[in-house]
């Protein structure tokens, strides 16, 4: 697994000398006349490709496969040579596409047969190729920079593929010598060279397998005819050079073009990294897995059977590798049918044919973002089978985890790609910001339902969602404050709280104790964020100012709790004979509450406290829904609370806001218009 | 990673150990003692490991097939019999078969070879095997390296000096080298006795069977976990990054992704993530105890009843169909998800991606994944109807962009016929006609195939003459216009032969 092997850089040097304009002498009949139209029409003479056209289209096919399978880090530099060299692209990533190359090739055009053959030579291109290999790529530069003192680990190797029309073995030797000389001059390059000499017909140059010309240079000579033969050869080479292997998907059902209601089975051959077959190679299963050797005896392919997908269910397969594919015959109908099917988002499981007849799914074809991958699925027995269930381990017996809430938390903490261009390099990386968000969101996060009150209350949601934010807007602070006032309101109305009764006998804590727990919890939550910004702090201040009982009050209440519990019992019994007594009790309690109310009024309604101004505006009627309007028969509790409410309303001064409201509405923060917000803030603190 | 214990039961293992004490031990007794200790350790700290026990002399026998039943393994150790001479090669062939039959050839395996360093004599001895290595035919290849990734641990019930007196040490080292070099030879330090054999197996346990403990973090929520099997350090590129990378003991969740978006990613290994209770004594043999079930009920019940983040996370991942992306180290990530073993049982699993900044092309660089709260509008849509994934590559692959390949004559014929078919349906098919025509034009220009442009122009002119009387007048105009443009392009004149230029339909207006 070397990043900087010879495959990192490939230079194509294609001969553009006048002799390349010669015909390949292979004719293509492109005018196919149908019987009905054939009469009296003279068919077009067949066209024939020049040696140049053959060389270009075969090299482009090599590039196409390479770019499909390795869109990154396997680079091609394309050089054309005639009376001088023409470098058609650079090593830069944005120059690496067949479209770029085609465009540059079109600009070069076919060789000019009238050019003086004496000044033209492939040598110009070969020298340029060696020089080009000496140029460092973006990736090499990046790695060398990061490695600093061990930069020499980033090797500089490369491969040159030369397509020319050499006249003799001596000619080839001369070319090799020239490359060797150039390499020595440059004195820094270890390169492996493949020569590809293509000829019209008779082999003037003989094939020669890989040979080490010097420690820096190996060379290989292939002599092939233009056209199909050259294409086949280059196809084999691209597989060898880039560790590719071939898989043939068989039994693909496809609608016939002519007979739409029938379907025939087709095969499609795909190329991909050979590691997708690793398991077959290792187990020596190659033949069992349906290997077949092609007619030319050079290429092997493994056959896998198409399994028509039944459902579109989303499943996480155990996949040990995923490799990009490139169809061998990209624009054939079966190929494009298969690739379009996959590009439309379907996945196809592939079955490994086995002698025994047992069905083994070994691979899957699937596209991700317009790229098709051959996934290798694990088909062996898992070493992790039969693990102890999570419910048997730590925390496994707990039944009231906040699964739904955590699900919601996960949705809020989903990730999205942030384009590198929009990322400010001086700032935190997006992933660090994501971690930061997780940290903020979990500062106070009880894991089980019975550990929390506030997260079981719909009323707290707006505040809980906002307070975890990195920064708050003025509007956010308002929403948080509204939430707090709403809670105050609930408490005043004595609304029940979803306090867990787990672990406590009977009904659990008393209502006011419940509110105390709730306020404590809310304060804990907000305190963990209060340090973030002033606005966060203001939310905390608001809670502290609004929560019902100041600490010393709470102490006093605790002392009185025993009495209340007794009262609670009688209330629960609710039998008629205790009615009177309960009324007495409630009267006594009323007195107690009145006293408290007065005490708190001293604070809340004191002239130098702006707190009443912050009081929640009565905007919606349901918030002020008086108990009388509750449907159904009036309960004892309602009667009791009504009495208290009425008694209270007589005893305390009405809030300034409510008194001077218009249509039950009162503008908040009027003082902000004159003063700055800090005053409110400080006063809020002082009111504690 | 399953383990095969390969126990030498040749006669040499029955050699008595000279001791001052009254009791007489054989080397076999020492080996059995050491293995018992290993099995006990695994039973309590490494329980999920599958282990098989094989005994070998000149033949080999699978005494206990792969199991997690350590009692059965210990029982089998108690019933070992003594046989003839040592033959390592055939035993290794046995290991190869047994492992591949059970786990295939991709599953990494640990082999613990327990021997006394007396490696046989004559044919079948290790010395003989190694000497004749090169003369092995293809059909009788030496079993090492195994087809599956292997860690070979050689436990020698002999001290290093004894092994070095003969060529035994050299042969064992050669064996280790042949197996791929991953592993170690352990020898006894000091005299052969129970204490020292314990020390030797203790070193093996520390080296290969100590549980991997980590802390799983999600912001301020966390849980102590055991990751099983232990994640092994890996080397990415021996040239550029020769140092192996290891998984951190702090596993940090960075965010969450839908299962559909992560889309069956390739992983290098899979691990169970088991919550553990670390309040226990860590002073026991090996490292911290992890096993809840074997503990007295009160302790395990206590652990079961206090809330654990892993259980919460697992539950929500399962319900929501999501995975948690987790950072394992610098530029190394993995995912946590719920894996169902059966309808009732499911578990928190962690899969490791290949180390690197962008292990999955469809997610892009992991460091460039940010919180959705930063987006102006939720990229998942208000009703989760969309997704920001998969990422589209900047350049389309060949099969997604209608490329032109004419290597096979049929490819060229199809493209020409497609144009002619559309030519006969002008002006209805004007758009398709020009689209196909321009595609052919571009390819012909790039391939320097000007002859084809001329030929195509001739064909279009001929089509023009063959138009029936009923044809729309526009058809003739378009055909001759297209033919003329192709002819101009075939001259290579830069004005007409520019690659990015497209032949536009002739503007005709027959309405007036």
């Amino acid at each position: 697994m070397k990043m900087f092997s010879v495959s990192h850089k490939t230079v194509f040097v294609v001969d553009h000398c006048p002799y390349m304009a010669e015909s390949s002498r292979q004719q293509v009949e492109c005018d196919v006349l149908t019987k009905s139209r054939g009469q009296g029409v003279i068919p077009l003479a067949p066209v024939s490709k020049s040696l140049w056209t053959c060389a270009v289209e075969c090299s482009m096919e090599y590039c196409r496969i390479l770019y499909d399978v390795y869109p990154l880090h396997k680079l091609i530099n394309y050089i054309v040579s005639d009376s001088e060299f023409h470098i058609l692209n650079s090593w830069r990533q944005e120059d690496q596409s067949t479209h770029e190359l085609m465009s540059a090739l079109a600009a070069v055009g076919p060789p000019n047969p009238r050019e003086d053959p004496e000044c033209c030579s492939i040598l110009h291109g070969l020298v340029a190729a060696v020089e080009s290999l000496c140029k460092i790529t973006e990736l090499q530069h990046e790695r060398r920079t990061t490695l600093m003192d061990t930069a020499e680990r980033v090797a500089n190797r490369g491969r040159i593929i030369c397509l020319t029309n050499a006249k003799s073995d001596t000619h080839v030797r001369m070319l090799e010598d020239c490359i060797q000389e150039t390499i020595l001059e440059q004195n820094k390059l270890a390169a492996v060279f493949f020569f590809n000499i293509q000829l019209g017909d008779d082999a003037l140059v003989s094939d020669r397998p890989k040979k080490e010309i010097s420690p820096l240079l190996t060379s290989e000579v292939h002599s092939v005819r233009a056209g199909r033969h050259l294409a086949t050869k280059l196809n084999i080479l691209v597989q060898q050079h880039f560790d590719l292997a071939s898989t043939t998907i068989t039994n693909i059902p496809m609608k016939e073009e002519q007979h739409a209601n029938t379907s025939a089975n087709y095969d499609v051959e795909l190329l991909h990294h050979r590691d997708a077959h690793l398991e077959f190679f290792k187990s020596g299963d190659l033949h069992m897995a349906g290997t077949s050797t092609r007619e030319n005896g050079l290429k092997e392919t493994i056959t896998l059977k198409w399994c028509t997908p039944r459902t579109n269910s989303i499943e996480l397969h155990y996949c040990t590798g995923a490799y990009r594919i490139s169809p061998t015959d990209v624009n054939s109908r079966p190929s494009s049918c298969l690739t379009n099917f996959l590009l439309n988002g379907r996945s196809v499981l592939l079955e490994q044919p086995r002698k025994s007849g047992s069905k083994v799914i070994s691979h899957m074809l699937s596209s991700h973002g317009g790229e098709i991958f051959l996934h290798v699925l694990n088909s062996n027995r898992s070493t992790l089978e039969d693990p102890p269930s999570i419910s048997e381990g730590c925390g496994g017996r707990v039944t009231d985890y906040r699964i739904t809430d955590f699900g919601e938390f996960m949705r809020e903490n989903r990730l999205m790609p942030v384009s590198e261009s929009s990322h400010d390099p001086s700032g935190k990386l997006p992933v660090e910001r994501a971690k930061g968000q997780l940290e903020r969101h979990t500062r106070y996060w009880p894991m089980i339902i019975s550990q929390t009150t506030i997260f079981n209350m719909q009323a707290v949601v707006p505040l809980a969602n906002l307070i975890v934010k990195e920064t708050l807007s003025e509007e956010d602070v308002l929403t948080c404050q509204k939430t707090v006032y709403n809670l105050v309101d609930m408490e005043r109305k004595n609304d029940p709280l979803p306090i867990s009764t787990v672990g406590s006998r009977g009904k659990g804590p008393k209502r006011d104790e419940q509110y105390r727990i709730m306020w404590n919890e809310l304060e804990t939550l907000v305190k963990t964020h209060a340090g973030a910004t002033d606005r966060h702090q203001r939310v905390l201040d608001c809670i502290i100012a609004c929560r019902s009982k100041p600490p010393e009050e709470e102490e006093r209440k605790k002392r009185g709790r025993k009495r209340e519990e007794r009262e609670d019992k009688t209330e629960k019994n609710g039998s008629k004979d205790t009615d009177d007594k309960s009324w007495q009790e409630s009267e006594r309690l009323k007195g107690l509450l009145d006293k408290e109310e007065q005490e708190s009024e001293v604070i809340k309604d004191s002239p130098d406290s702006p707190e009443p101004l912050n009081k929640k505006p009565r905007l919606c009627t349901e918030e002020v829904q008086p108990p009388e309007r509750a449907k159904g028969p009036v309960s004892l509790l309602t009667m009791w609370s009504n009495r208290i409410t009425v008694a209270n309303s007589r005893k305390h001064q009405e809030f300034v806001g409510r008194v001077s409201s218009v249509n039950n509405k009162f503008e908040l923060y009027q003082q902000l218009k004159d003063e700055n917000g800090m005053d409110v803030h400080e006063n809020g603190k002082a009111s504690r | 990673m399953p383990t095969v214990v390969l126990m030498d039961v040749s006669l040499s293992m029955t050699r008595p150990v000279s001791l001052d004490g009254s009791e007489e031990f054989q080397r076999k007794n020492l080996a059995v003692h050491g293995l018992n200790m290993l099995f006990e350790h695994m039973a309590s700290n490494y329980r999920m490991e599958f282990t098989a026990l094989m005994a070998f002399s000149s033949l080999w026998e699978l005494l206990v097939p792969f199991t997690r039943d350590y009692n059965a393994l210990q029982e089998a150790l108690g019933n070992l019999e003594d046989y003839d001479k040592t033959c390592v090669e055939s035993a290794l062939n046995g290991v190869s078969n047994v492992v591949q039959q059970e786990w295939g050839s991709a599953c990494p395996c640990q082999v613990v070879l327990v021997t006394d360093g007396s490696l046989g004599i004559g044919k079948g001895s290790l010395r003989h095997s190694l000497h004749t290595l090169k003369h092995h035919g293809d059909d009788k290849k030496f079993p090492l390296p195994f087809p599956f990734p292997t860690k070979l641990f050689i436990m020698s019930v002999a001290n290093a000096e004894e092994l070095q007196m003969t060529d035994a040490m050299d042969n064992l080292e050669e064996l280790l080298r042949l197996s791929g070099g991953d592993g170690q030879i352990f020898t006894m330090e000091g005299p052969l006795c129970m204490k020292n054999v314990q020390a030797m197996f203790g070193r093996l346990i520390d080296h290969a069977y100590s549980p991997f403990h980590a802390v799983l973090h999600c912001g301020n929520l966390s849980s102590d976990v055991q990751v099983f099997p232990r994640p092994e350090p890996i080397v990415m590129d021996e040239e550029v990054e020769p140092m192996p990378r290891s998984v951190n003991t702090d596993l940090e969740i960075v965010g969450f992704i839908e299962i559909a978006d992560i889309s069956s990613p390739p992983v290098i290994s899979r691990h169970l993530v088991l919550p553990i209770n670390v309040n226990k004594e860590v002073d026991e043999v090996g490292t911290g105890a992890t096993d809840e079930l074997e503990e007295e009920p009160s302790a395990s019940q206590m652990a079961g009843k206090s809330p654990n983040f892993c259980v919460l996370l697992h539950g929500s991942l399962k319900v929501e169909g999501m995975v948690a992306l987790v950072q394992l180290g610098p530029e190394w990530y993995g995912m946590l998800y719920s894996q169902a073993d059966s309808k009732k049982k499911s578990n928190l699993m962690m899969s490791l991606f290949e180390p690197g900044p962008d292990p999955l092309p469809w997610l892009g660089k992991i460091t460039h994944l940010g919180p959705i709260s930063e987006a102006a509008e939720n990229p998942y849509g208000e009703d989760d109807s969309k997704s920001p994934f998969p990422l589209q590559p900047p350049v389309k692959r060949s099969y997604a962009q209608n490329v032109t390949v004419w290597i096979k004559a049929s490819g060229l014929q199809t493209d020409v016929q497609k144009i002619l078919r559309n030519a006969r349906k002008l002006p209805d098919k004007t758009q398709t006609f020009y689209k196909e025509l321009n595609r052919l034009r571009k390819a012909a220009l790039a391939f320097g195939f000007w002859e084809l442009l001329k030929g195509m122009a001739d064909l279009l002119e001929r089509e023009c003459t063959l138009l029936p009387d009923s044809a729309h007048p526009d058809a003739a105009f378009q055909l001759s216009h297209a033919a003329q443009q192709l002819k101009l392009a075939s001259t290579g004149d830069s004005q007409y032969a520019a690659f990015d230029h497209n032949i536009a339909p002739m503007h005709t207006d027959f309405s007036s």
Side-chain angles (χ1 to χ4, degrees), chain B residues 308-472:
Chain B
N308 189 295
F309 171 62
C310 282
V311 186
L312 171 68
L313 175 69
H314 168 267
S316 299
L317 289 175
K318 187 176 182 176
V319 171
E320 300 286 336
M322 292 213 245
V323 306
L325 204 60
V326 60
Q327 180 154 17
L328 312 167
E331 292 196 335
W332 195 4
Y333 302 88
M335 62 173 178
L336 291 161
Y337 53 96
S338 160
Q339 169 85 18
D341 192 56
S342 61
K343 281 238 165 72
K344 280 181 190 157
K345 282 184 168 184
S346 64
N347 250 287
L348 189 61
M349 286 268 245
M350 179 166 76
S351 290
L352 313 190
F353 301 143
E354 190 135 294
D358 46 359
L360 308 177
W362 50 96
L363 294 191
K365 268 193 188 160
I366 303 285
T367 49
H368 280 75
L369 295 181
I372 51 169
S373 59
E374 287 178 5
E377 73 182 85
N378 188 347
Y380 290 91
E382 289 314 314
D383 51 352
D384 282 338
S385 55
K386 342 181 255 186
S387 168
F389 300 108
L391 225 58
Q392 301 286 331
V395 182
K396 279 186 177 176
R397 305 282 85 89
S398 71
Y399 45 81
Q401 58 172 335
N402 199 10
V403 292
T404 315
V405 179
W406 290 333
I407 288 173
K408 284 187 182 164
S410 60
L412 179 55
Q413 283 158 357
T414 312
D415 285 347
V416 171
Q417 291 307 314
K418 217 184 274 174
I419 293 171
L420 290 181
R421 249 197 335 271
N422 285 299
R424 285 166 209 144
K425 291 175 190 158
L426 286 171
D428 296 347
K429 293 280 184 182
T430 307
Q431 291 308 319
T432 333
F433 171 74
Y434 279 101
K435 194 182 131 222
E436 291 298 331
L437 190 75
N438 280 313
R439 192 165 81 89
L440 175 126
R441 175 185 170 279
K442 270 195 167 57
L445 287 172
F447 296 154
F449 201 178
W450 292 354
E451 195 183 334
L452 177 70
L453 294 176
K454 287 191 206 96
M456 194 68 231
D458 291 344
L459 277 175
L460 293 180
E461 278 172 351
R462 188 190 70 197
E463 283 305 314
C464 196
T465 63
L466 290 176
L467 284 173
D469 297 339
S470 58
H472 192 285

Side-chain angles (χ1 to χ4, degrees), chain A residues 379-423:
Chain A
S379 46
N380 289 313
R381 184 181 164 193
S382 161
T383 56
L384 297 178
E385 68 185 25
D386 198 24
S389 172
I390 192 138
S391 60
E392 292 162 25
C394 287
R397 295 273 167 268
V398 180
T399 50
D400 65 336
Y401 284 106
R402 293 171 58 205
I403 300 286
T404 317
D405 290 348
F406 197 73
E408 187 54 38
F409 167 90
M410 295 195 311
R411 299 191 162 277
E412 282 160 16
N413 285 286
R414 273 181 294 185
L415 299 167
M416 62 168 187
V418 177
S419 73
E420 288 188 46
S421 51
S422 70
H423 165 65

Side-chain angles (χ1 to χ4, degrees), chain A residues 443-444 454-455 460 463-464 466-468 472 480 484 519-533 535-544:
Chain A
R443 284 191 196 158
Y444 178 70
I454 55 171
F455 292 113
V460 182
L463 184 145
L466 286 171
I467 200 72
V468 295
L472 294 179
C480 289
V484 175
W519 284 116
N520 278 347
E521 200 188 359
L522 190 66
E523 207 174 302
T524 309
L525 166 71
V526 177
K527 257 183 190 155
T528 60
H529 297 277
T533 66
R535 286 182 176 142
H536 285 91
Q537 179 65 44
R538 273 167 56 200
V539 177
L540 178 64
D541 292 345
C542 171
I543 292 172
I544 293 171

Side-chain angles (χ1 to χ4, degrees), chain A residues 1-4 28-33 37 41-42 44 47-49 52-53 56-57 61 64 67-68 71 99 102-103 105-106 110 147 153 155 157 231 279 282-283 314-322 324-325 327 329-331 339 343 368-369 371-373 375 380-390 392-398 401-403 406-407 410-418 420 423 430-431 433-435 437-439 442-443 445 447-448, chain B residues 2 48 50 68 102-107 147 218-221 229 236-237 239-240 242 252-256 258-260 263-267 270 272 275-277 303-309 311-317 320 322 327 337 341 345-347 361-362 365-375 379-380 384 388-393 397-399 403 405-408 412-413 416-417 424 445-451 455 458-459 462-463 499:
Chain A
M1 281 194 279
K2 285 183 194 165
M3 176 64 85
F4 301 103
V28 185
E29 200 77 60
C30 53
D31 190 15
V32 185
L33 291 169
R37 306 183 76 246
V41 180
I42 305 151
L44 186 81
V47 288
S48 93
K49 295 173 186 167
W52 166 256
T53 300
V56 167
E57 66 176 5
E61 181 68 0
R64 178 187 72 79
Y67 288 145
D68 274 356
H99 182 86
M102 299 265 279
S103 170
L105 281 166
L147 285 173
R153 281 197 209 136
R157 308 189 182 94
E279 180 85 343
K282 276 184 178 170
S283 57
I314 299 152
E315 215 181 316
L316 205 56
H317 293 277
Y318 176 22
C319 156
T320 55
R324 289 185 178 86
I325 60 103
D329 203 356
V330 65
N331 50 7
T339 52
L343 289 173
H368 312 285
E371 289 186 285
I372 299 173
F373 289 80
H375 290 249
N380 289 313
R381 184 181 164 193
S382 161
T383 56
L384 297 178
E385 68 185 25
D386 198 24
S389 172
I390 192 138
E392 292 162 25
C394 287
R397 295 273 167 268
V398 180
Y401 284 106
R402 293 171 58 205
I403 300 286
F406 197 73
M410 295 195 311
R411 299 191 162 277
E412 282 160 16
N413 285 286
R414 273 181 294 185
L415 299 167
M416 62 168 187
V418 177
E420 288 188 46
H423 165 65
V431 76
R433 298 202 298 270
K435 284 187 206 165
Q437 177 169 309
L438 283 176
E439 190 279 323
T442 53
R443 284 191 196 158
W445 214 97
M447 289 195 282
I448 56 176
Chain B
M48 298 294 294
F50 277 102
R68 288 175 181 149
E102 196 74 50
W103 311 107
S105 55
C107 175
C218 175
N220 294 295
L221 296 169
M236 280 309 289
D237 181 329
E239 199 168 75
V240 182
E252 211 179 344
I253 291 178
V254 300
F256 301 87
E258 311 270 349
I259 284 184
S263 188
S264 298
V267 300
R270 283 196 316 171
L272 284 168
I276 52 169
N277 193 2
K305 278 181 178 166
S306 62
N308 189 295
F309 171 62
V311 186
L312 171 68
L313 175 69
H314 168 267
S316 299
L317 289 175
E320 300 286 336
M322 292 213 245
Q327 180 154 17
Y337 53 96
D341 192 56
K345 282 184 168 184
S346 64
N347 250 287
W362 50 96
K365 268 193 188 160
I366 303 285
T367 49
H368 280 75
L369 295 181
I372 51 169
S373 59
E374 287 178 5
Y380 290 91
D384 282 338
F389 300 108
L391 225 58
Q392 301 286 331
R397 305 282 85 89
S398 71
Y399 45 81
V403 292
V405 179
W406 290 333
I407 288 173
K408 284 187 182 164
L412 179 55
Q413 283 158 357
V416 171
Q417 291 307 314
R424 285 166 209 144
L445 287 172
F447 296 154
F449 201 178
W450 292 354
E451 195 183 334
D458 291 344
L459 277 175
R462 188 190 70 197
E463 283 305 314
F499 184 73

Side-chain angles (χ1 to χ4, degrees), chain A residues 535-659:
Chain A
R535 286 182 176 142
H536 285 91
Q537 179 65 44
R538 273 167 56 200
V539 177
L540 178 64
D541 292 345
C542 171
I543 292 172
I544 293 171
C546 290
R547 54 174 304 182
S548 51
K549 316 295 178 275
E552 62 272 16
E553 190 77 7
E554 225 135 271
E555 274 309 299
R556 208 175 50 74
K557 285 223 66 186
K558 263 182 197 160
R559 271 181 266 124
R561 191 158 304 130
K562 276 194 173 169
R563 282 201 305 269
E564 287 166 28
E565 262 160 28
R566 252 188 289 127
E567 179 226 343
D568 189 39
K569 268 180 202 155
T570 52
E571 193 187 328
K572 212 163 68 184
N573 291 339
S575 55
K576 278 181 183 170
D577 52 12
T578 55
D579 252 359
D580 284 347
K581 204 187 167 197
S582 86
W583 277 116
Q584 280 168 20
E585 281 279 352
S586 65
E587 284 297 325
R588 190 192 52 75
L589 183 69
K590 193 183 76 184
L592 199 81
L593 287 171
D594 289 349
K595 204 176 158 202
E596 278 167 18
E597 200 66 54
Q598 278 162 5
E599 273 174 20
S600 55
E601 268 169 26
V602 171
I603 299 160
K604 284 189 176 172
D605 291 346
S606 84
D608 39 37
S609 163
E611 213 45 51
L613 293 180
N614 284 351
K615 199 73 191 170
K616 190 173 167 51
R618 304 290 173 138
L619 291 177
C620 343
T621 46
E622 66 258 33
E623 280 172 9
V624 285
Q625 189 174 44
E628 297 89 9
R629 280 174 57 181
K631 286 179 182 117
V634 179
S635 74
L636 190 57
L637 176 67
T638 319
M639 282 166 62
W640 177 68
S641 24
N642 286 351
R643 270 176 70 98
I644 290 177
T645 317
V646 173
N648 285 349
S649 63
R650 273 201 305 268
K651 296 214 169 129
H652 78 78
Q653 228 178 333
E654 185 52 292
F655 295 128
V656 181
R658 210 172 288 157
V659 171

